[in-house]
Amino acid sequence: QVQLVESGGGTVLPGASLKISCVASGPPYSSNSYAMAWFRQAPGLERQFVAAISRSGSDSDYADSVKGRFTISKDIADNTLSLLMNSLKPEDTAVYYCAARRYFDSTTYFTQASDATYWGQGTQVTVSS
């Protein structure tokens, strides 16, 4: 069973930066076999896609609302997924979840929550003055 554990959430001022991480462990997880993604969920709203990266790290995609501000990255050696969030806005406030799915193709990623196989427990990000 693959376990995903997020960390790094917190409360920041509008315009600030924050980096959240997700460490994967447990067989049969192998970092270069799984595409990863970040989703977020605000109170009363559905879980929404934020960013995705292929298992090789060569391909990525972002929601329009975060494009140009957020950067997703993957450290295969450390089994760690990161999301660097710049120029944070109050509307970025949500619980952020990492997700994983195994793919044979090295360039494929997923952007739908229904396509994820494994989920972390989430980390709260609050942007407020």
Side-chain angles (χ1 to χ4, degrees):
Q1 183 74 11
V2 174
Q3 292 93 40
L4 304 175
V5 180
E6 301 96 333
S7 63
T11 300
V12 297
L13 295 171
S17 297
L18 190 67
K19 185 176 182 179
I20 57 177
S21 298
C22 171
V23 177
S25 63
Y29 186 82
S30 175
S31 183
N32 61 0
S33 297
Y34 284 78
M36 308 285 291
W38 288 99
F39 292 81
R40 66 187 182 186
Q41 188 167 18
L45 299 179
E46 293 185 353
R47 194 167 296 190
Q48 65 175 195
F49 167 71
V50 176
I53 192 166
S54 63
R55 68 175 181 88
S56 68
S58 61
D59 294 76
S60 60
D61 195 15
Y62 297 88
D64 288 342
S65 59
V66 307
K67 202 168 291 185
R69 299 189 297 124
F70 290 11
T71 302
I72 189 171
S73 61
K74 193 182 184 196
D75 187 328
I76 292 176
D78 290 342
N79 289 345
T80 301
L81 177 74
S82 297
L83 185 68
L84 176 62
M85 304 180 287
N86 294 322
S87 303
L88 282 161
K89 305 175 181 179
E91 51 263 44
D92 294 318
T93 295
V95 177
Y96 284 71
Y97 299 89
C98 71
R101 174 173 172 161
R102 186 169 184 170
Y103 283 102
F104 290 108
D105 184 83
S106 64
T107 61
T108 301
Y109 51 81
F110 61 98
T111 62
Q112 301 294 319
S114 57
D115 288 333
T117 305
Y118 301 103
W119 289 95
Q121 84 290 345
T123 186
Q124 176 71 47
V125 173
T126 302
V127 185
S128 174
S129 56

